[in-house]
Amino acid sequence: MITSVKNEKVKNWRKLRKKKERDLQNQFIIEGFHLIEEAHKSSWQIVEIIHQEGVECPKAWLHYPLFKVTDNVMAAISETKTPQGIVAVVNKKNNDEKVVNRALMVDRVQDPGNLGTMIRTADAAGFDTVILGHGTVDLFNDKVIRSTQGSLFHLNVYEADLVGEMERLQQLSITIWSTGLENASNYHELDVPDKIAIIVGNEGSGVNRTLMTKADQNVMIPIYGQAESLNVSIAAAILMYEVVKK
């Protein structure tokens, strides 16, 4: 039983709230039974599980290193308003160059909820890959992870220089669509290729102009009402589901 927030293990768990420490230790924290179960069923490696006194671990998890903590320690570790009393430390996973058929490329999206929602939607739409460009919110941010609802563990998600990654994918005969208004066609007027990557951009400025010029096709979603634009996660959802319809 760990009872003090000054315990060295507790101090280390709390450090993982910060991106710098997550990068340094190559680990991150997940919270709640659902996320831990999704990680457990995946190929990601759970390092240890921390559970609050009175909260029981499922039998399938008992082979992991377990640490029981008091209420005050769990409160110090948790980042949720209503914690379930159980968290896990997970090792980050390197991109293992899986085959790409349908990918979402994310350029400088800042809102954790938007990124998490897009990863969850990519999973639901049957995409296999999500590629995060430089300047995008940290994948292992607590709010991002919670918004993915476990889909993080179902996809090949990695960070890359999008210019170089576009060139690599195009060499593999993957067609690149970029969202944007310049020289763009309505998405529903286009033939959908068998292998495709869709780029969506920053909430305020959209996709970087350099990326747009390197894309095979710029696409737009028509606005029929008075709204100025669509939320980036909604736009991504529309395009991803359009792709899988064909």
Side-chain angles (χ1 to χ4, degrees):
M1 173 78 75
I2 298 177
T3 61
S4 173
V5 295
K6 295 182 180 179
N7 180 282
E8 289 303 314
K9 290 289 291 184
V10 178
K11 288 180 180 178
N12 191 64
W13 294 329
R14 295 186 71 182
K15 285 180 180 179
L16 292 175
R17 289 180 169 187
K18 298 180 180 179
K19 183 182 186 303
K20 179 180 178 181
E21 285 294 330
R22 293 193 293 266
D23 291 344
L24 186 64
Q25 299 187 42
N26 211 35
Q27 295 178 336
F28 61 101
I29 279 184
I30 58 176
E31 293 194 43
F33 287 95
H34 176 68
L35 283 174
I36 297 174
E37 178 61 17
E38 294 302 302
H40 167 70
K41 293 188 299 186
S42 75
S43 59
W44 293 63
Q45 183 183 6
I46 294 177
V47 178
E48 55 199 9
I49 294 176
I50 305 102
H51 62 107
Q52 190 172 316
E53 185 178 13
V55 175
E56 296 297 324
C57 285
K59 290 182 179 179
W61 302 354
L62 297 181
H63 64 285
Y64 297 116
L66 301 175
F67 294 89
K68 186 183 291 186
V69 301
T70 53
D71 296 2
N72 66 307
V73 172
M74 180 56 67
I77 299 167
S78 174
E79 292 195 83
T80 60
K81 292 181 179 179
T82 55
Q84 296 179 22
I86 191 161
V87 303
V89 178
V90 182
N91 279 335
K92 290 185 180 183
K93 190 177 180 183
N94 294 326
N95 169 39
D96 50 7
E97 295 290 342
K98 291 181 180 178
V99 174
V100 176
N101 289 302
R102 291 171 177 158
L104 179 68
M105 305 180 80
V106 182
D107 175 35
R108 298 170 296 122
V109 166
Q110 296 292 300
D111 183 84
N114 281 339
L115 178 58
T117 298
M118 287 191 287
I119 292 171
R120 183 178 180 182
T121 307
D123 181 20
F127 273 51
D128 48 65
T129 303
V130 177
I131 306 165
L132 311 181
H134 302 315
T136 297
V137 62
D138 181 30
L139 172 62
F140 302 104
N141 174 293
D142 174 67
K143 292 180 181 178
V144 173
I145 293 172
R146 281 190 276 122
S147 295
T148 72
Q149 284 291 300
S151 288
L152 163 65
F153 303 116
H154 305 160
L155 300 169
N156 191 30
V157 186
Y158 60 94
E159 298 176 353
D161 172 67
L162 292 188
V163 173
E165 198 65 5
M166 284 177 67
E167 293 173 355
R168 185 181 78 85
L169 294 178
Q170 286 169 328
Q171 288 172 3
L172 295 172
S173 300
I174 296 170
T175 301
I176 310 287
W177 282 10
S178 172
T179 54
L181 299 177
E182 191 173 323
N183 299 318
S185 300
N186 285 349
Y187 74 95
H188 48 65
E189 296 175 352
L190 299 170
D191 293 328
V192 177
D194 291 334
K195 294 186 176 183
I196 189 169
I198 299 170
I199 308 176
V200 294
N202 176 268
E203 291 90 344
S205 58
V207 175
N208 180 281
R209 187 177 177 82
T210 299
L211 299 176
M212 288 181 64
T213 58
K214 289 183 176 292
D216 298 297
Q217 176 70 55
N218 289 341
V219 299
M220 60 179 289
I221 300 171
I223 302 290
Y224 299 109
Q226 299 302 309
E228 183 179 334
S229 63
L230 286 169
N231 171 277
V232 64
S233 63
I234 298 296
I238 291 170
L239 294 175
M240 285 190 283
Y241 269 91
E242 179 68 16
V243 164
V244 297
K245 279 168 54 181
K246 301 296 179 70

